[in-house]
Amino acid sequence: NTDYFIGVTTKNWENIKSNPVYSLSVTNASNDDISDAQQLHLGNNENYSLGYSNQKRYFKFTTGDVGSYMVSAAGNSFDLSGWLYDTDGKTVLCRVENMHTFGLAHTLKANTQYYICLTGADTGYGQFSVNVKRLDEPTDRYFDKQWYLQNWGQTVNNDKNENPVSKNEIKFGLDINALPAWEYATGKGVKIGLIEEACMIDHDDFINRVSSPKGGDVQTAYMGHGTVIAGEMIAAKNGIGIVGVAPNAQTIFLHRVN
């Protein structure tokens, strides 16, 4: 609550006297260090500013439940770069550079504090928005065993309940970041080729989404490699079974002849 004063001058008045207009902004230069990180709240779209080129703004947030989290950021009229840091504030989990709008995403632990750094490009400064949210998980029965889609260190057993893969063997966060990707694309309008001996085309997870160039000449197989692979590719988010990497895509089945 103190008054300060600023003086503005120019060395070349002749060039600007016909239109003596200039802009001036004053911003808080704090948050330039991770120890001064600003607290973000999950689910809130919050607005901040960069006062000068290459200024860094640090933020922190605390997760709720374990799961996949996305940090969305957008510059008002300039490109941003962003880094998502682990709990130590040093280990980079993911980063994006020089984009107007982007998302940083990773599977994160429950009730844990993480850090974010945002900065503008060489000439980027002004207003920007940032939002952190936890992404909803599919309700499909076996999704929690699909550690390659979302990995929170879960224990996964094989069909015979033998040789369980321990939490230490499946490293936390080692997945393909599927949930954040589904925010942008789910395979709708995409056709994927499947070369197999047989495929159960009327399976509930991909009914009406498996076709063949030969029309009705599509074999069915309840339990078979072709059915499994089709499910891994396109199984729907429908509350049953598993979820495919591209749950809204279609498959063109090509019969493999031995």
Side-chain angles (χ1 to χ4, degrees):
N1 301 316
T2 304
D3 289 333
Y4 291 89
F5 300 90
I6 301 171
V8 179
T9 186
T10 177
K11 293 182 178 180
N12 196 345
W13 174 251
E14 292 298 325
N15 290 341
I16 65 170
K17 66 181 181 180
S18 60
N19 185 27
V21 177
Y22 62 91
S23 62
L24 178 67
S25 64
V26 179
T27 61
N28 188 340
S30 63
N31 310 118
D32 278 5
D33 186 88
I34 200 166
S35 61
D36 297 319
Q38 181 81 29
Q39 182 71 48
L40 296 177
H41 301 91
L42 296 181
N44 290 351
N45 195 54
E46 304 184 41
N47 296 312
Y48 294 91
S49 64
L50 293 170
Y52 52 87
S53 299
N54 295 316
Q55 179 189 5
K56 292 182 178 180
R57 293 293 300 268
Y58 286 93
F59 302 92
K60 59 186 177 181
F61 66 94
T62 302
T63 58
D65 293 335
V66 64
S68 185
Y69 285 78
M70 175 174 282
V71 180
S72 301
N76 187 28
S77 58
F78 61 96
D79 289 344
L80 284 168
S81 296
W83 293 261
L84 174 61
Y85 292 100
D86 208 342
T87 56
D88 59 4
K90 299 178 181 179
T91 304
V92 177
L93 298 177
C94 58
R95 68 180 184 181
V96 177
E97 297 185 19
N98 299 329
M99 295 187 68
H100 179 66
T101 302
F102 62 79
L104 299 164
H106 207 275
T107 302
L108 304 180
K109 298 177 180 179
N111 304 315
T112 303
Q113 184 170 273
Y114 292 88
Y115 296 90
I116 304 163
C117 176
L118 297 176
T119 185
D122 289 342
T123 58
Y125 59 92
Q127 299 290 320
F128 66 92
S129 62
V130 59
N131 177 285
V132 183
K133 66 177 181 179
R134 183 182 183 276
L135 302 177
D136 293 333
E137 299 162 359
T139 59
D140 297 63
R141 180 178 180 182
Y142 298 111
F143 175 75
D144 63 342
K145 300 185 183 303
Q146 293 184 268
W147 60 268
Y148 49 90
L149 297 182
Q150 187 183 59
N151 178 359
W152 57 87
Q154 63 266 51
T155 298
V156 179
N157 298 341
N158 60 21
D159 291 340
K160 296 181 181 180
N161 200 30
E162 297 173 351
N163 301 318
V165 181
S166 71
K167 294 181 180 180
N168 291 329
E169 291 174 313
I170 300 181
K171 185 178 179 181
F172 187 99
L174 186 61
D175 54 43
I176 65 172
N177 249 358
L179 272 68
W182 289 337
E183 294 285 297
Y184 300 94
T186 58
K188 186 176 182 180
V190 176
K191 295 181 179 180
I192 307 172
L194 173 64
I195 303 176
E196 283 286 349
E197 291 183 356
C199 177
M200 184 182 177
I201 62 173
D202 56 352
H203 192 289
D204 289 339
D205 251 338
F206 40 83
I207 191 170
N208 297 326
R209 291 193 294 127
V210 178
S211 60
S212 171
K214 296 183 179 180
D217 184 20
V218 180
Q219 295 190 22
T220 62
Y222 177 68
M223 292 295 291
H225 191 261
T227 303
V228 172
I229 297 303
E232 298 283 1
M233 293 193 300
I234 68 167
K237 291 195 286 184
N238 56 4
I240 65 171
I242 66 171
V243 182
V245 174
N248 286 328
Q250 295 181 338
T251 287
I252 301 177
F253 171 65
L254 304 173
H255 184 209
R256 178 172 63 85
V257 179
N258 290 328

